[in-house]
């Protein structure tokens, strides 16, 4: 049996009774906590010993190794592709054997040998979607119609985890670190747009040119808590697989948390 590579695979191993004996409210929450490394599979008393042993600590190293292996596999695949043709499909620049497009406003490139280079730090959460976008994206133009993650193909079943690791994590940062939206505009080439869905702030980022992300934030009002939602263009699941869309959302949330920490706001990342 293959090792789980993401939280939904961990969820599939569970009893799904939401009995709460592990201390989490649902099995999905428990799966997310295991995926984040905050809990161990053995904390679920309903799991069979054989499954726990199969996915024990040592095996979890393999999970990360497999993630790294997947990145290497994508690089090899890109090395075997006609990068000129790929550049034309996604509207990227191609010169000197290097394909370049903008990631959060900065140059991000891959050469004909699959080597990556960029003006920003090359994190796996952006490197894997970047290569998937080149290899498997349809290169469709952005439609301008915004939808939530759960409306994307295969987004519904992952939405609870996306909400927790992306939207709630971003909301914690926005609630605490009030300069966040200015930073998104100035550091990550975001654009403040006309307020959408009656939000107080709407900012659009481009982690990939044809996969824009709109973050809408509602300030607290009349005893109601603040809220934050993330929207994607309705073509996002054609230009990228939903796993990569998930990875971009969660990766951005982690990056915002680090930004807040650097500015001295530890409360922005506490759970
Ligand atoms: S103890 Fe196991 S079955 Fe019960 S909620 Fe937690 S993960 Fe689900």
């Amino acid at each position: 049996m293959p090792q789980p590579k993401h939280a939904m695979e961990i969820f599939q191993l569970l009893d799904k009774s939401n009995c709460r004996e592990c201390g989490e409210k649902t099995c999905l929450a428990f799966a997310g906590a295991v995926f984040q490394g905050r809990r161990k599979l053995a904390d679920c008393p309903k799991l069979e010993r054989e499954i726990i042993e199969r996915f024990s600590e040592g095996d979890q190293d393999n999970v990360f190794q497999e993630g790294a292996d997947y990145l290497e596999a994508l690089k090899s695949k890109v090395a075997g592709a006609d990068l000129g043709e790929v550049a034309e499909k996604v509207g990227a620049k191609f010169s000197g054997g290097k394909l370049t497009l903008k990631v959060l406003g900065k140059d991000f490139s891959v050469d004909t040998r699959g080597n990556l280079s960029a003006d920003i730090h090359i994190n796996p959460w952006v490197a894997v979607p970047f290569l998937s976008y080149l290899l498997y994206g349809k290169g469709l133009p952005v439609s301008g119609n915004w939808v939530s993650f759960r409306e994307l193909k295969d987004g519904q079943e992952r939405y609870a985890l996306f909400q927790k690791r992306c939207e709630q994590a971003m909301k914690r940062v926005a609630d605490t670190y009030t300069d966040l939206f200015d930073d998104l505009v100035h550091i990550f080439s975001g654009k403040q747009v006309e307020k959408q869905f009656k939000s107080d702030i709407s900012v659009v980022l481009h982690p990939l040119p044809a996969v824009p992300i709109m973050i809408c934030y509602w300030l607290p009002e009349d005893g109601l808590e603040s809220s934050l939602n993330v929207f994607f263009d309705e073509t996002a699941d054609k230009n990228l697989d939903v796993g990569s869309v998930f990875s971009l959302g969660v990766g951005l949330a982690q990056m915002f948390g680090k930004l807040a920490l650097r500015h001295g706001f530890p409360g922005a990342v506490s759970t």
Side-chain angles (χ1 to χ4, degrees):
M1 187 171 173
Q3 303 297 324
K5 297 186 188 66
H6 49 69
M8 287 314 292
E9 283 188 50
I10 296 169
F11 177 65
Q12 295 305 332
L13 302 171
L14 302 174
D15 173 272
K16 303 184 191 70
S17 61
N18 299 330
C19 70
R20 299 188 173 200
E21 282 182 43
C22 59
E24 300 289 341
K25 284 186 183 156
T26 61
C27 294
L28 191 60
F30 179 77
V34 173
F35 183 65
Q36 290 173 323
R38 291 188 286 109
R39 304 295 303 270
K40 292 190 187 327
L41 271 181
D43 294 340
C44 169
K46 301 212 164 173
L47 260 183
E48 287 169 21
R49 177 173 293 278
E50 185 261 329
I51 293 180
I52 294 171
E53 283 171 2
R54 207 181 326 155
F55 298 102
S56 63
E57 290 254 325
D59 289 336
Q60 290 200 13
D61 289 342
N62 291 340
V63 174
F64 297 115
Q65 186 52 45
E66 286 191 19
D69 289 348
Y70 183 53
L71 179 57
E72 289 310 311
L74 287 176
K75 286 183 183 176
S76 304
K77 203 155 171 96
V78 161
D82 180 336
L83 273 193
E85 216 171 81
V86 172
E88 205 168 314
K89 177 183 76 172
V90 300
K93 268 196 302 184
F94 182 61
S95 81
K98 207 191 237 190
L99 178 153
T100 302
L101 51 74
K102 296 285 184 194
V103 168
L104 296 171
K106 307 285 192 306
D107 282 353
F108 206 102
S109 308
V110 62
D111 67 19
T112 48
R113 299 169 74 180
N115 297 313
L116 294 168
S117 56
D119 290 347
I120 54 172
H121 184 62
I122 302 176
N123 280 307
W125 66 262
V126 73
V128 168
F130 170 78
L131 294 172
S132 298
Y133 178 77
L134 300 182
L135 288 167
Y136 309 118
K138 292 203 167 25
L140 295 183
V142 172
S143 72
N145 296 324
W146 296 104
V147 297
S148 77
F149 183 83
R150 70 175 155 244
E151 292 171 86
L152 298 176
K153 184 172 181 294
D154 300 329
Q156 177 71 43
E157 63 183 28
R158 298 182 191 201
Y159 182 63
L161 201 56
F162 179 82
Q163 198 180 26
K164 180 169 182 176
R165 296 188 60 203
C166 175
E167 294 181 322
Q168 288 176 12
M170 283 187 186
K171 175 178 129 48
R172 265 198 307 277
V173 177
D175 285 347
T176 314
Y177 177 52
T178 50
D179 285 341
L180 174 69
F181 293 101
D182 278 345
D183 283 357
L184 299 192
V185 171
H186 296 115
I187 303 177
F188 303 115
S189 303
K191 194 167 171 220
Q192 193 146 350
V193 295
E194 202 175 312
K195 293 165 189 169
Q196 303 280 322
F197 308 115
K198 299 191 176 160
S199 63
D200 292 298
I201 301 171
S202 301
V203 171
V204 174
L205 295 172
H206 284 85
L208 289 163
V211 187
I213 291 183
M214 180 168 70
I215 302 166
C216 292
Y217 182 65
W218 291 262
L219 291 160
E221 194 183 14
D222 297 336
L224 287 175
E225 253 196 66
S226 64
S227 59
L228 186 149
N229 284 110
V230 173
F231 298 90
F232 298 90
D233 192 79
E234 66 180 2
T235 56
D237 53 7
K238 313 275 187 321
N239 288 327
L240 205 57
D241 62 283
V242 79
S244 287
V245 175
F246 181 95
S247 167
L248 284 178
V250 174
L252 280 171
Q254 288 171 354
M255 192 171 72
F256 298 168
K258 285 182 186 162
L259 192 66
L261 269 182
R262 271 212 303 276
H263 285 86
F265 291 89
V269 290
S270 61
T271 53

